[in-house]
Amino acid sequence: MKQTNRNKDIFFTSNISCDSISRSYTHSFSSSPDNSTSRSSTHSISSSPPQSRPSTPLHTFSESMMEENIDNAELLITKWSLETSTGFAASSSLFYDDRREAKDFISCAKDLQRAMRFFILPENSNPVLLVKSQNLMEIAMKRLEKEFYRILSDNRDRLDPESISGHGSERARGSTSDDFDEEVDQSSDEEEIQRVSNSINEVEQVGTVAMNDLKMISDCMISSGYGKEVVRIYKIIRKSIVDEGLYKLGFEKLTAAQINKMDWELLDFKIKNWVYAVKIAVKTLFLGERILCDYVLTSEMSRESCFTAITKDSALELFHFPELVAKGKKSPEKMFRILDLYDAISELWPEIESIFSYQSMSNIRAQAVSSLLKLGEAVRAMLTDFETAIQKDSSKALVPGGGIHPLTRYVMNYVSFLSDYTVILTDIVADWPLPEHTALPESYFDSSLGTDDEGTSSIVLRFAWLVLVLLCKLDGKAALYKDVPLSYLFLANNLNYVVSKVRGSNLRFLLGEEWISKHELKVKQYSINFERLGWSKVLSSLPTDPTASMSLDATKECLSSFNTAFEATYRTQSSWVVTDSKLRDEVKVSICKKVLPVYQEFYDTNRATLSGERNVEALVRYSPDDLMNYLSDLFYGMKVSGSSSSTDNSSRHSSSSH
């Protein structure tokens, strides 16, 4: 009998002599619990002549059964041999053409395993039948190797990770890696398909059958000692699917140099695409591969080896991208994208830890953690830079009319957007307290919030401090106005804007209602100061007792003083602005309540005295209704055109009509 070494190539077969049985048999049953017995038995066959056997019947019942099993297996296995002269086996698919025969083929391979175990024992030694069984096993394994490759290749679309992650996990949990006997003795594939079709569509049905076939083949080959062939084919096919999946998601490997040179618009797009891609990659692509790997492969070692080879490189590159971004140039506009990256990894961490749980994939978990740490460091650095930028703002340009300063808008919009990331920021700044010299007065935040939670308290202090830095800066900018009433109006406008931003965002829950109430009172106080200083001349021009009788000259002098003061005040404040409509109405109503009632009484009391005077229109320029109209036009920030004469003409016309 010719001796040949066993060739692992799928397209070649070989015969094995008695002298090579020891090596082949040890390979075939490397996963068997009886390895120690097998090795000693193999050694006795390959190095010693058959021992003399006691006087027994020529064939025992068990030996006859084994011989019959070998003969039956030979008929089916040689039919599907890849070297068959008819060419039928080479061009056909065992699992596609006849599923019942495919199941019988697997049973034959199992029968050969039993026969080889039987004839390797010293008391049953039969080298001829053992060699025959091994040769048939070689042919069967080459056939199954080709079928395994074909099913994986032909079902790339049906075994896509999305379908697998959607229903494969339930399918896998419902199956067990029981003894091969139980797998073969299950109900027919037609019944299995019928059961599955009740819950999944036709494409998924085909995928489920393919998964079952792959599992059936891998179980058979691994238990027969051909696990390396299974792993090799599985790695080649499935790794290409993972790489293709990431490519379709738009992920590309970038270097630190490429990221640093990239325009922000392009990098912003890359980051948004990564956030989208990583969620699908983890929850669908990698999860689907893990489910398929765990289901198809019986051996834990094979599972780990395959899944690591398939996903490790891609996963490392994927989770390395955020770290590269975090190490790049930092600027305020990048803050929110950095937080998006941090949020994505944090949200996916349980899945990352579960999917990449193998020890050989610890560096993937470590990379995800490293990216989180670097992103956290970047956020803290940018928060520090943001605070420093507020403090160093040196702009001395005055906002026309005491309106909202650009710094106020920028800072509060930025901070209110940041408050949407409270949960993430709480994690980032939990162990990052404010420096001692930035200790906040209690009045700047609601002490009832976050006192029991160190992390929450830290983020509350951080936001309260940023707002306080802004308010202090606004105090300095208010001092730049030479007109004191206008400086108070500026403070009222800007603080009211700050409060409205706090109330309309998550800052409300961080700083608390107490903080809001205290600062609303400050807005009101600024408004009172503005009215007191801005309208003091108008109010002082009116008599203390407007109902008291006055001489004609005194009345004329009082009216002249009022006209002069009102026109000067109106002319000055007509270009001032109160940006918030509610605050504007409150300010105008307050001024009207102080000016109009006094002027109305003075006007009514002295109107008869002035009725006989010439040029009465020049003296009584404003009726109470005129004043109401003028006051209603204030604080829109539009300068009244013309000089005081235009105001005089308008008032005269209005007075004459009245």
Side-chain angles (χ1 to χ4, degrees), residues 584-634:
R584 181 168 60 244
D585 291 341
E586 290 175 354
V587 170
K588 288 193 291 188
V589 168
S590 180
I591 294 173
C592 286
K593 285 182 178 180
K594 291 179 174 64
V595 175
L596 280 179
V598 179
Y599 185 79
Q600 179 78 54
E601 291 180 345
F602 173 75
Y603 180 84
D604 292 341
T605 301
N606 296 281
R607 182 172 52 179
T609 304
L610 297 171
S611 60
E613 289 295 312
R614 293 181 179 181
N615 299 323
V616 68
E617 294 86 353
L619 293 173
V620 186
R621 296 181 184 178
Y622 306 102
S623 70
D625 288 344
D626 293 333
L627 289 182
M628 178 67 77
N629 291 333
Y630 278 113
L631 290 174
S632 66
D633 290 337
L634 285 176

Side-chain angles (χ1 to χ4, degrees), residues 194-213:
Q194 181 61 41
R195 186 187 69 80
V196 173
S197 65
N198 294 329
S199 58
I200 55 178
N201 60 35
E202 182 178 352
V203 174
E204 291 173 329
Q205 292 174 30
V206 177
T208 301
V209 172
M211 289 173 65
N212 289 336
D213 290 345

